[in-house]
Structures are given as C-alpha cells and as structure tokens.
Amino acid sequence: MKKLLYITFIGSSLFLACKTSSGNKNEIKVALTAKSDSQVSGTAIFTEEKGKVTLVANMHGLTPGEHAIHIHEKADCTAADGSSAGGHWNPTFKQHGKWGTNEHHKGDIGNFIADAKGNATVKFTTEEWCISCGDETKDITNKGLIIHKGADDFTTQPTGNAGGRIACAGIIK
C-alpha cells in the first residue's frame, strides 16, 4: 500500500490531499452484525476508484421484502439496537429524502428487496462520497452502515420511518 500526495493549484491557492492506495483503488470491507435480535449477517465493500465510491453489500437472514439501508453518523455498533451509530449521516444539513431528488442526506442510500430466502445484494455508486479523503461533507470513513427492518418512505423527517436497526457495521479503515 502506498501513500500518494496530490497537489492542486486553483487560481493562486494550493490544495494538498493525501490518499492511501493499493494500485488505483481505495477500499474498506466491513462485516454486518445482527442488531435488535435479528439474524442478519453479511459484508459490505466500499471501493473508491476514479472519483467514485461503489458500495456492494451482500446480506443474509433478512425477512423477505423491502428494507432500507443508510449511512449513519458514527462507526459505533455497540448498542444492542444499533442506536449507538447515531442518526443519518447528514453533513450538508439537508432534509431526508430519496437519492437523486432535490434534497437527501448523504447517508440516504435507499431501499432494497430481500428475496424469499432472506438474501439481498445492494450495489450503489456515487461521486458524493470518498474514502479517507478528509472532506467532512464526503468522507464515509468512521461512519456506520445500518440496515433497517422496514422500507424508507423518503418523506418522514428525519428518518424515513424505516423501522428498527437490524444490522450494523462500522466503516473503519
């Protein structure tokens, strides 16, 4: 793994950024732990490449049907109900909503469907996140990934009324 130093001149200002890289990818892999007496397990991989972060989460032990997935404020999954991860990650102080609409939290990933066996895969890519870049409005490092019992209604403030937290993972490098 090597550290790369980026130097950028914009007008007369100098900007420095440091990025840990193995090749051209920056990656964090996390394990989901069950919360709220659920049986949910799985993994999530966040990969940053060419200015975009892709999340691929594979989950098992879900109840069949629709569930919400969000990034929360803290990488703390110690509480039995996942509440230690705090609220939705919202560094730009927007209203809760659906990704791609006028307003949404940076942590508002959306809903997914678990199949009849309780398995699901989520794949999500955005330029609005980074890994260990130091930009407080984009950096997902040290945040929490939460799987909810129900679906996000994209309306109720500030949570989307998605129900209890049934799995949690700290996004820690």
Side-chain angles (χ1 to χ4, degrees):
M1 199 175 285
K2 56 186 172 183
K3 294 229 180 216
L4 302 173
L5 181 64
Y6 293 97
I7 301 174
T8 305
F9 290 94
I10 299 176
S12 61
S13 298
L14 171 69
F15 294 89
L16 298 174
C18 185
K19 183 175 184 178
T20 303
S21 175
S22 57
N24 291 333
K25 289 185 185 177
N26 199 2
E27 187 173 274
I28 298 176
K29 182 176 182 179
V30 299
L32 288 159
T33 57
K35 296 293 166 190
S36 304
D37 296 321
S38 80
Q39 299 300 311
V40 179
S41 64
T43 60
I45 301 172
F46 295 87
T47 306
E48 183 175 18
E49 193 169 25
K50 298 179 183 175
K52 295 180 181 180
V53 174
T54 298
L55 160 66
V56 177
N58 291 296
M59 296 155 286
H60 316 283
L62 295 155
T63 56
E66 198 168 12
H67 300 272
I69 181 171
H70 299 119
I71 293 180
H72 284 244
E73 299 169 312
K74 302 172 195 164
D76 182 352
C77 295
T78 56
D81 65 356
S83 61
S84 51
H88 291 185
W89 176 49
N90 185 19
T92 54
F93 307 102
K94 303 284 186 180
Q95 291 290 308
H96 175 74
K98 189 173 186 177
W99 200 275
T101 62
N102 288 340
E103 288 207 20
H104 61 277
H105 300 154
K106 291 277 181 118
D108 289 343
I109 299 170
N111 294 331
F112 64 92
I113 304 289
D115 67 17
K117 294 181 180 180
N119 299 317
T121 298
V122 172
K123 185 172 182 182
F124 182 83
T125 302
T126 181
E127 294 176 345
E128 292 190 37
W129 297 346
C130 65
I131 297 173
S132 299
C133 69
D135 180 340
E136 291 181 15
T137 66
K138 293 181 74 173
D139 199 339
I140 61 169
T141 311
N142 298 318
K143 306 297 182 266
L145 183 65
I146 295 286
I147 309 304
H148 289 273
K149 184 176 183 176
D152 190 324
D153 67 13
F154 305 115
T155 306
T156 304
Q157 299 299 322
T159 64
N161 198 29
R165 300 168 187 200
I166 57 172
C168 182
I171 306 169
I172 301 170
K173 196 127 171 101

